[in-house]
């Protein structure tokens, strides 16, 4: 704690607003510098990349993008498409399976509910590595290596318990009177779920979709494990192989493809910022 | 579990109070209610069906299988042979690389998690209090934590800290001779620590939300009593924020212990130079999926589970001494 209280005087000195903004912007630039540098390097000719630490390129070229796009067996677009398919299915799977489970935990009463709920919470903390070895063996026995199924199917089985928890939290904030009114009107649980609860859950569903998208798109461990055939690579795995294949020779194209591979995350981040922040905040505690 | 989840656990577990109208109703009412309860039990299990399949087929089943495998020498190609505790024994007595991976990971976690939390809290404090442009700053600081685990950023890091990287260019301006930071065993791990600290945005957002929950009236009262800013921080902000600090600490500890991508990419999949970035999970991956020592990898996974469980338990035990929940007087 000592370090923390030492920091306080700097942060709390009643600095003029302007000074605070200047400091924050300076620190923000410092934080973003590596990213900006990568963007700027991706449009510089190869030989300038390491001689110019500045962000404004003295010479602009599209060569890195053109060269990187076709550097591997397939065009980079092919790998982006693989990533997109896996990610889209993962999002659908998580939305479907996690919301069903969350509704049951938040609204229905059934035997052993406490036990199952505790188990569900327990799996949030479970390191993936404890299950990965037998999973790999099982998936390879049924011939699923180099297919998208080892990554997609578990999502349809609500294995990302974190999102169940997030939605349970959210559903519990919705007034129960709505369900009861629906029940009086003769709606069954399915109807209550699809027509009453889910429409109100849009913020939680959006958070789930955005986080699932970003995490699946970024995921390297599982994709690298299951997708090794040059036809089944996703963007991150392809990038990695790209680095191995080209060694230290082609950083420009590598940066260009890196930027492209980060593009969708950045887009989702901008579009879903509100939900991301709220999602972080509400899962954090309460 | 986290304080939050136990609170939810008990709340979600409590049976719902029967609707007021049903109380004291005649036998007909009661029959209807019990049929409703039955339908709920059915519905509950139906809604949970996908999750149940996942729990047993993807989580619990493989867990048991991996526990079994950890006592064998299974290599995918041959039959699994029972070897008892040999894998575990080898880990702790004969496998220097294992002990090294444990050491590397411990340093990585022990240094980067506290640093990350300090940065997260510091920035959250600087951003609080009606600062204009808050969403903008929040995005800027949050963005790296979304990208940090990606292959692209790991590639970038490798280049920034390379021999001809941008860090050395900067140092050159000050007449300091640089070195290959990622290729030197003394510094490689520290570049990864820096990368991890760089992603402080996620805990920062949680801190920001936590700060907002502290009633302003407390600060006003403290000001009336003549408490300075430092005193307000020590006596109000910090104690009221302890549950969130605790939550962030538990979460980051668990997450950081399982880091993989950064070390894999920066070291070219080897954990080098000289095993200086051989993270625990990277070694597990190499053992299981490169050498096909599946039994050994399974044993490592169980040790990882025990380590994480122990760390979390210690964290919870310690929390009694410093975490302050508003409701306990």
């Amino acid at each position: 704690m000592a370090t923390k209280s030492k920091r306080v005087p700097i942060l709390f000195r009643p600095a003029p607003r302007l000074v605070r903004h200047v400091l924050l912007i300076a620190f923000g630039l410092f934080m973003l510098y590596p990213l900006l540098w990568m963007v700027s390097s991706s449009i510089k000719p190869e030989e300038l990349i390491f001689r110019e630490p500045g962000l404004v390129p003295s010479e602009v070229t599209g060569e890195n993008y053109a060269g990187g796009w076709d550097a591997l067996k397939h065009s980079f677009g092919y790998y982006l498409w693989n990533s997109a398919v896996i990610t889209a299915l993962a999002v659908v799977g998580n939305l479907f399976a996690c919301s069903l489970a969350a509704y049951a935990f938040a609204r229905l009463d059934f035997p052993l509910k406490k036990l199952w709920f505790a188990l569900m919470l327990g799996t949030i903390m479970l390191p993936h590595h404890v299950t990965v070895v037998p999973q790999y063996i099982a998936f390879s026995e049924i011939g699923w290596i180099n297919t998208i199924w080892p990554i997609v199917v578990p999502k349809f089985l609500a294995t990302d318990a974190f999102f169940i928890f997030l939605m349970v939290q959210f559903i519990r904030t919705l007034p129960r009177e709505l369900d009861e009114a629906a029940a009086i009107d003769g709606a069954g649980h399915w109807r209550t779920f699809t027509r009453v609860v889910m429409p109100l859950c849009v913020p939680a569903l959006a958070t789930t979709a955005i986080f699932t998208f970003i995490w699946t798109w970024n995921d390297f461990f599982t994709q690298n494990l299951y997708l090794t055939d040059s036809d089944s690579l996703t963007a991150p795995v392809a990038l990695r192989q790209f680095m191995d294949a080209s060694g230290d020779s082609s950083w420009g194209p590598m940066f260009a493809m890196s930027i492209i591979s980060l593009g969708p995350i950045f887009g989702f981040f901008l579009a879903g910022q509100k939900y991301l922040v709220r999602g972080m905040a509400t899962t954090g505690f309460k | 579990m986290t304080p939050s989840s136990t609170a939810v656990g008990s709340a979600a577990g409590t049976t719902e109070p029967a609707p007021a109208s049903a109380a004291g109703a005649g036998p007909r009412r009661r029959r209807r209610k019990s049929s409703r309860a039955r339908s709920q039990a059915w519905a509950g299990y139906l809604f949970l069906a996908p999750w149940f399949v996942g729990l047993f087929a993807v989580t619990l089943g493989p867990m048991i299988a991996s526990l079994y495998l950890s006592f064998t020498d299974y290599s995918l190609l041959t039959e699994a042979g029972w070897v008892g505790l040999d894998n575990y024994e080898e880990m702790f007595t004969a496998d220097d690389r294992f002990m090294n991976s444990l050491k590397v990971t411990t340093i990585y976690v022990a240094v980067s998690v506290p640093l990350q939390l300090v940065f997260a809290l510091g920035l959250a404090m600087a951003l609080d209090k009606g600062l204009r442009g808050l969403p903008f700053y929040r995005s800027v600081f949050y963005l790296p934590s979304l990208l940090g685990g990606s292959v692209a950023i790991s590639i970038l890091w490798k280049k920034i800290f390379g021999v001809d990287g941008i860090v050395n260019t900067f140092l050159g301006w000050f007449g300091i001779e640089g070195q290959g930071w990622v290729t030197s065993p003394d510094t490689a791990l520290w570049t990864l620590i820096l990368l991890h600290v760089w992603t402080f945005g996620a805990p920062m957002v949680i801190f920001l939300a936590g700060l907002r929950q502290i009633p302003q009236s407390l600060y006003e009262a403290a000001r009336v009593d003549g408490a300075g800013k430092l005193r307000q921080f020590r006596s109000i902000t910090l104690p009221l924020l302890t549950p969130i600090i605790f939550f962030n600490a538990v979460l980051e500890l668990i997450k950081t212990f399982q880091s993989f991508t950064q070390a894999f990419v920066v070291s070219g999949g080897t954990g080098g130079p000289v095993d200086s970035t051989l993270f625990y999970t990277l070694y597990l991956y190499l053992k299981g999926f490169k050498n096909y020592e599946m039994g050994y990898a399974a044993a490592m996974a169980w040790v990882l589970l025990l380590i994480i469980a122990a760390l979390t338990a210690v964290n919870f035990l310690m929390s009694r001494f410093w975490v302050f929940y508003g409701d306990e007087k």
Side-chain angles (χ1 to χ4, degrees):
Chain A
M1 291 300 113
T3 45
K4 255 169 225 160
S5 35
K6 239 178 258 159
R7 293 175 56 81
V8 174
I10 312 162
L11 293 169
F12 271 72
R13 202 168 296 152
R17 250 149 219 270
L18 189 66
V19 176
R20 259 174 91 173
H21 281 289
V22 168
L23 285 176
L24 281 171
I25 288 173
F27 188 71
L29 274 177
F30 177 74
M31 288 273 296
L32 292 190
Y33 176 80
L35 285 175
L36 299 172
W37 181 78
M38 182 160 71
V39 174
S40 129
S41 296
S42 73
I43 51 171
K44 280 178 196 168
E46 186 81 34
E47 67 275 11
L48 279 184
I49 294 181
F50 300 109
R51 272 191 279 131
E52 268 187 6
L55 294 179
V56 184
S58 58
E59 211 185 312
V60 173
T61 170
E63 239 172 72
N64 293 328
Y65 283 86
W69 190 262
D70 292 316
L72 293 174
K73 183 183 167 198
H74 298 279
S75 78
F76 205 73
Y78 178 88
Y79 305 116
L80 289 171
W81 173 251
N82 283 349
S83 273
V85 170
I86 285 178
T87 308
L89 287 173
V91 169
V92 173
N94 263 351
L95 287 179
F96 166 76
C98 295
S99 62
L100 282 178
Y103 178 77
F105 282 128
R107 282 296 202 255
L108 301 174
D109 214 9
F110 48 89
L112 296 180
K113 175 164 146 174
K114 270 187 180 177
L115 170 75
W116 301 126
F117 193 76
L119 261 174
M120 189 275 288
L121 288 177
T123 59
I124 296 181
M125 302 243 172
L126 191 72
H128 174 51
H129 308 85
V130 184
T131 53
V132 78
V133 170
Q135 274 174 11
Y136 182 88
I137 296 168
F139 287 139
S140 79
E141 299 228 321
I142 50 177
W144 278 7
I145 304 295
N146 285 315
T147 71
I148 63 174
W149 307 120
I151 297 154
V152 168
V153 169
K155 307 283 178 191
F156 280 87
L157 302 175
T159 47
D160 284 351
F162 171 75
F163 296 115
I164 304 181
F165 175 60
L166 185 144
M167 284 192 234
V168 168
Q169 295 283 76
F170 193 86
I171 295 175
R172 283 168 35 78
T173 65
L174 304 174
R176 267 191 174 266
E177 287 76 23
L178 292 170
D179 301 26
E180 279 152 22
I184 288 166
D185 288 349
H189 296 297
W190 177 251
R191 224 181 144 74
T192 312
F193 169 71
T194 53
R195 297 293 164 83
V196 179
V197 175
M198 278 305 108
L200 293 169
C201 275
V202 168
L205 295 171
T207 309
T208 300
I210 295 163
F211 272 118
T212 306
F213 183 96
I214 292 175
W215 290 346
T216 312
W217 188 272
N218 255 346
D219 170 45
F220 176 71
F221 186 82
T222 12
Q223 293 175 18
N224 181 52
L225 203 59
Y226 291 116
L227 308 173
T228 49
D229 182 85
S230 60
D231 293 328
S232 66
L233 304 186
T234 52
V237 189
L239 255 186
R240 236 287 300 178
Q241 301 225 329
F242 189 177
M243 187 166 83
D244 269 3
S246 57
D248 262 5
S249 54
S250 56
W251 287 97
M254 202 131 60
F255 284 155
M257 293 309 106
S258 296
I259 300 286
I260 291 181
S261 79
L262 292 179
I265 302 179
F266 192 68
F268 260 67
F269 165 69
L270 286 183
Q273 237 224 84
K274 195 176 67 183
Y275 292 122
L276 278 174
V277 168
R278 209 187 292 153
M280 289 285 307
T282 43
T283 46
F285 46 96
K286 216 188 142 100
Chain B
M1 277 316 103
T2 63
S4 47
S5 45
T6 43
V8 174
S10 58
T14 43
T15 39
E16 300 308 326
S21 59
R28 240 186 99 199
R29 278 285 203 181
R30 201 168 296 137
R31 203 163 50 238
R32 267 196 65 192
K33 197 188 148 226
S34 74
S35 85
R36 248 196 102 182
R38 242 198 326 270
S39 95
Q40 277 207 30
W42 268 107
Y45 277 87
L46 272 178
F47 274 86
L48 280 180
W51 178 76
F52 273 121
V53 177
L55 180 72
F56 290 108
V58 186
T59 308
L60 290 184
M63 258 181 95
I64 294 163
S66 115
L67 186 61
Y68 167 75
L69 282 174
S70 76
F71 299 114
T72 69
D73 59 0
Y74 189 54
S75 70
L76 260 195
L77 308 166
T78 55
E79 284 285 297
W82 185 266
V83 296
L85 288 170
D86 279 9
N87 288 327
Y88 294 94
E89 202 187 316
E90 189 186 337
M91 248 179 252
F92 289 102
T93 56
D95 189 348
D96 290 341
R97 286 192 88 191
F98 170 83
M99 291 312 275
N100 180 61
S101 77
L102 206 52
K103 192 188 95 187
V104 166
T105 314
T106 307
I107 296 174
Y108 177 69
V109 172
V111 176
S112 62
V113 171
L115 265 180
Q116 196 196 34
L117 292 186
V118 168
F119 268 92
L121 182 58
L123 259 295
M125 304 274 317
L127 288 183
D128 200 36
K129 306 272 158 69
L131 191 77
R132 280 185 71 164
L134 171 67
F136 169 75
Y137 291 121
R138 197 178 47 200
S139 313
V140 166
F141 298 130
Y142 184 43
L143 184 62
S145 65
L146 284 181
L147 307 178
S150 65
V151 171
I153 296 298
S154 304
I155 290 177
L156 171 68
W157 228 251
K158 185 170 181 165
K159 201 57 228 170
I160 291 179
F161 288 97
V163 185
D164 52 359
I166 213 76
V167 169
N168 282 345
T169 313
F170 275 122
L171 291 176
W173 292 353
F174 300 100
I176 302 168
E177 193 170 340
Q179 51 161 322
W181 302 97
V182 284
T183 45
S184 154
D186 295 330
T187 51
L189 180 60
W190 296 92
T191 64
L192 295 181
I193 289 175
L194 213 59
L195 173 52
H196 191 71
V197 176
W198 187 62
T199 63
F200 66 77
M204 182 197 75
V205 170
I206 298 179
F207 277 136
L208 272 173
L211 286 171
R212 194 143 310 159
Q213 304 225 316
I214 300 177
Q216 285 303 309
S217 58
L218 288 178
Y219 291 109
E220 278 153 27
R223 263 197 298 277
V224 171
D225 290 345
K229 293 281 186 190
L230 185 61
R231 187 61 208 262
Q232 288 177 30
F233 176 77
R234 245 195 12 222
S235 304
I236 301 173
T237 314
L238 214 48
L240 288 179
L241 219 51
T242 46
I244 291 142
I245 297 175
F246 174 65
F247 175 83
N248 271 333
V250 171
L251 211 67
E252 289 300 327
L253 207 70
I254 294 173
K255 215 174 68 186
T256 312
F257 220 93
Q258 301 175 56
S259 303
F260 174 81
T261 309
Q262 303 89 326
F264 185 92
V265 173
V266 167
S267 71
T270 62
V274 209
D275 283 353
S276 61
T277 60
L278 187 68
F279 282 6
Y280 193 94
T281 52
L282 180 51
Y283 189 49
L284 190 155
Y285 168 83
L286 292 176
K287 276 289 189 189
F289 304 102
K290 285 283 166 232
N291 301 350
Y292 294 109
E293 295 176 44
M294 295 283 186
Y296 198 83
M300 278 190 73
W302 272 89
V303 171
L304 176 70
L305 176 65
L306 294 180
I307 290 173
I308 285 176
L311 280 176
T312 312
V314 166
N315 225 328
F316 270 93
L317 286 178
M318 300 239 304
S319 74
R320 289 180 183 198
F321 301 108
W322 65 275
V323 174
F324 168 82
Y325 293 103
D327 48 1
E328 55 193 45
K329 284 278 143 60

